[in-house]
Amino acid sequence: MSPAPLTLDRFILEEQKSFPGSTGELSLLLMRLGVAGKRIANALARAGLTGALGVAGSENVQGEEQKKLDVLANEILLETFDYGGLVTLAASEEMEEPFVYRGSLDQGRYAVLFDPMDGSSNIDCNGTLGTIFSIRHRRDGTVRDLLRSGREQVAAGYVLFGPAVILVYTSGEGVHLFTLDPAIGEFLLTRRDLRMPERGKGYAVNEGRSHRWPPAVRAFVERLKTPEPGSGRVYSTRYSASMVADVHRFLLEGGIYLYPGDGKSADRDGGGKLRVLYECHPLAFVVEHAGGRASTGTAKVLDVSPETLHERMPLAIGSRAEVDLFDQFVARG
Ligand code: AHM
Ligand code: MG
């Protein structure tokens, strides 16, 4: 008889045994992410039938139009972490200020951060979407707990809503991949200790915005499109408008995802679109633990401590070879 598939909850409990003295609270939080992933997947699958597509009529703190599903996924996540007083603070791309769980200040040992619906422009056309999460220790229970380096994340990961629903996470000991089996409503372990290829064949960037890129970024992308002398090797463009989907592809196949700074923003290194805390730090944590790299071009993403909650940064993330090459182009200017 083949061994029974390992469910997410069972896997997390098994992993916990390798952390002697663990209270099991982080395990419970990670299990809650499985619950949130299933609830969001269900809301997405039914959105066209329940009138949940389209705009909510509001804007988030960055002045971006919110979709109904951005708001709904945010509510689902907030509800999911209202569980046993484990979490003190929740911060999200969709909320101006962190949410403080009532009664948790003296006990909740964790803070959670999330981008509830990554790739929102894909919502109304049934494209791939994601939810990104990051877990940190609570310190004094204020926003200062969150304005810290990405290396202080305790765990991070994402749920990818595509033809299958996939959950990927790391708590610093390997990157693990689970696939939702809709027949039994459980995430099952499908890849353990995922390692990303050292080098890839694909790149993902919105080239429609290349007029705003620094010259070094333009030169780098030109290089990827130029056949390599001798081998004739060129890269293929793979851009889905959801960084979770693109980064997931490159985690499996190798390659590089870029969202360059546009030079207009006052944020670090010209800003760009992506938020340090909800998008860049968690995906960098996953990718680095799988052997890849994440860079702003001038610094390692995980070394950056943002000064404000919704700060943005340029991002180059993926296989070691391509991110190293990107850094070389930026250094040359
Ligand atoms: P979002 O979280 O508001 O959806 O923004 C992040 C997303 C990334 O997932 C994606 O790669 C990028 O924004 C797409 O932006 P653009 O339309 O500028 O290419
Ligand atoms: Mg996003």
Side-chain angles (χ1 to χ4, degrees):
M1 199 170 75
S2 55
L6 213 49
T7 64
L8 175 68
D9 290 8
R10 182 155 160 228
F11 180 85
I12 290 169
L13 289 173
E14 298 279 327
E15 286 279 287
Q16 191 192 314
K17 289 186 194 150
S18 51
F19 294 96
S22 155
T23 61
E25 290 173 64
L26 179 63
S27 299
L28 283 174
L29 277 187
L30 292 169
M31 291 178 196
R32 296 307 289 162
L33 281 159
V35 174
K38 285 186 262 186
R39 285 190 60 191
I40 296 170
N42 186 44
L44 280 173
R46 297 181 47 77
L49 307 169
T50 57
L53 296 179
V55 295
S58 50
E59 287 183 348
N60 67 13
V61 60
Q62 291 99 350
E64 295 162 343
E65 189 173 62
Q66 286 178 306
K67 302 267 174 119
K68 289 181 194 167
L69 277 164
D70 287 323
V71 176
L72 182 61
N74 193 62
E75 280 167 9
I76 289 175
L77 285 156
L78 285 179
E79 266 173 42
T80 308
F81 290 113
D82 190 1
Y83 186 79
L86 299 174
V87 177
T88 298
L89 287 177
S92 140
E93 191 174 304
E94 305 301 338
M95 302 185 295
E96 188 161 356
E97 300 292 338
F99 181 87
V100 180
Y101 286 96
R102 219 180 302 155
S104 65
L105 268 176
D106 298 330
Q107 37 168 339
R109 292 175 57 216
Y110 291 98
V112 293
L113 299 102
F114 37 84
D115 175 357
M117 201 82 298
D118 176 68
S120 305
S121 74
N122 284 354
I123 289 175
D124 294 339
C125 61
N126 197 32
T128 308
L129 292 149
T131 293
I132 308 174
F133 57 86
S134 161
I135 302 177
R136 289 169 178 265
H137 282 300
R138 179 200 67 131
R139 291 166 192 271
D140 62 9
T142 71
V143 72
R144 282 193 300 274
D145 293 355
L146 311 176
L147 305 180
R148 304 179 71 95
S149 119
R151 303 216 178 267
E152 294 188 24
Q153 293 173 101
V154 178
Y158 56 82
V159 185
L160 171 63
F161 307 100
V165 180
I166 283 175
L167 188 149
V168 172
Y169 88 91
T170 179
S171 50
E173 294 284 325
V175 174
H176 314 298
L177 189 158
F178 301 81
T179 306
L180 181 64
D181 181 342
I184 57 170
E186 291 273 13
F187 280 102
L188 303 179
L189 180 68
T190 30
R191 294 278 295 273
R192 180 185 214 137
D193 287 330
L194 205 67
R195 301 300 296 171
M196 88 184 284
E198 282 279 312
R199 189 179 185 203
K201 291 182 293 201
Y203 73 95
V205 68
N206 183 346
E207 293 206 66
R209 301 197 190 279
S210 60
H211 58 286
R212 294 196 193 149
W213 298 346
V217 177
R218 258 185 260 163
F220 171 71
V221 173
E222 275 311 308
R223 165 72 171 272
L224 299 184
K225 294 194 283 192
T226 308
E228 202 173 69
S231 69
R233 182 180 191 271
V234 279
Y235 284 77
S236 294
T237 312
R238 295 284 180 261
Y239 192 69
S240 71
S242 162
M243 70 183 297
V244 169
D246 295 335
V247 171
H248 182 71
R249 170 192 280 274
F250 296 143
L251 195 66
L252 301 178
E253 298 176 355
I256 184 168
Y257 170 95
L258 296 170
Y259 207 109
D262 55 18
K264 286 187 184 166
S265 159
D267 282 351
R268 188 180 305 272
D269 288 333
K273 179 176 186 190
L274 302 177
R275 275 98 344 183
V276 179
L277 291 173
Y278 318 116
E279 289 160 327
C280 303
H281 272 174
L283 292 186
F285 198 68
V286 171
V287 161
E288 287 215 355
H289 280 286
R293 285 199 59 217
S295 169
T296 67
T298 58
K300 289 182 179 158
V301 166
L302 290 179
D303 288 338
V304 171
S305 303
E307 286 165 18
T308 58
L309 199 54
H310 300 289
E311 190 171 306
R312 302 175 193 251
M313 62 162 42
L315 177 69
I317 186 168
S319 292
R320 190 161 280 280
E322 282 80 20
V323 179
D324 285 350
L325 186 65
F326 177 79
D327 282 354
Q328 287 164 25
F329 271 78
V330 173
R332 273 186 241 148

